[in-house]
Amino acid sequence: MEASDHELTKELDATLHARRELGTEYESVLIESFLEKVEQHMETTIDRRVRRHLAEQQVTAARGGRPGRSGKASAENFGERFGFGIVTMILAVPLSAIGAAHAGLEGLLVAWAGIVGVNAVHAFHDRVPLGRVRPGPHEKSGQDY
């Protein structure tokens, strides 16, 4: 467990303790505060991973190679997907509670539609390379006819 994960666990414990002390009238404020901290943690982690990935791509390009999928990269990708799935399931609990408390069944359905949508986008982001656009019917694909 990383130090930042340990900090988030401490924050969650403190939030739950504060909720027990303050009661349900402060629940939404406490949840929002905790979710902001989780979001900051996720942004920091994502920024670090993006910088590392870009550095790896630059090294590969500088060596004249093409980036490929090795067994290690595939295992890291699985770990990232699995971790993302776990985080979204953890966040699904408070999001479901907030959605159901404020809008009933409709709120719950909207919350879960968002959760499923985010996971779907994350699952398929590897399959379509960013920055690459397939040529449309009015554009040439680089082939001579």
Side-chain angles (χ1 to χ4, degrees):
M1 181 179 277
E2 291 184 21
S4 58
D5 291 341
H6 185 67
E7 290 173 20
L8 276 179
T9 302
K10 282 179 155 179
E11 288 292 333
L12 178 60
D13 289 340
T15 301
L16 293 173
H17 180 74
R19 187 206 175 271
R20 283 190 293 269
E21 294 286 322
L22 298 173
T24 57
E25 59 269 4
Y26 292 100
E27 185 173 285
S28 63
V29 174
L30 292 170
I31 290 172
E32 287 176 22
S33 173
F34 178 72
L35 289 178
E36 284 177 17
K37 291 172 185 170
V38 170
E39 182 179 6
Q40 289 171 354
H41 172 71
M42 289 178 67
E43 286 177 359
T44 302
T45 302
I46 290 169
D47 287 344
R48 186 175 354 113
R49 287 181 181 173
V50 166
R51 283 193 302 271
R52 183 178 67 217
H53 183 70
L54 289 175
E56 288 172 359
Q57 283 183 335
Q58 289 174 347
V59 168
T60 301
R63 291 180 180 165
R66 293 184 62 196
R69 293 227 176 243
S70 65
K72 181 181 176 191
S74 180
E76 287 175 0
N77 192 19
F78 172 76
E80 179 183 337
R81 287 188 321 237
F82 183 74
F84 187 82
I86 294 296
V87 168
T88 56
M89 289 297 102
I90 291 169
L91 292 176
V93 174
L95 290 174
S96 297
I98 292 168
H102 290 287
L105 181 60
E106 292 84 11
L108 181 64
L109 293 176
V110 168
W112 275 96
I115 292 164
V116 169
V118 166
N119 277 284
V121 167
H122 186 265
F124 294 109
H125 83 282
D126 289 356
R127 299 177 195 250
V128 178
L130 295 176
R132 265 194 204 169
V133 179
R134 292 187 182 134
H138 60 283
E139 299 172 333
K140 281 188 126 181
S141 65
Q143 298 174 347
D144 293 325
Y145 295 101

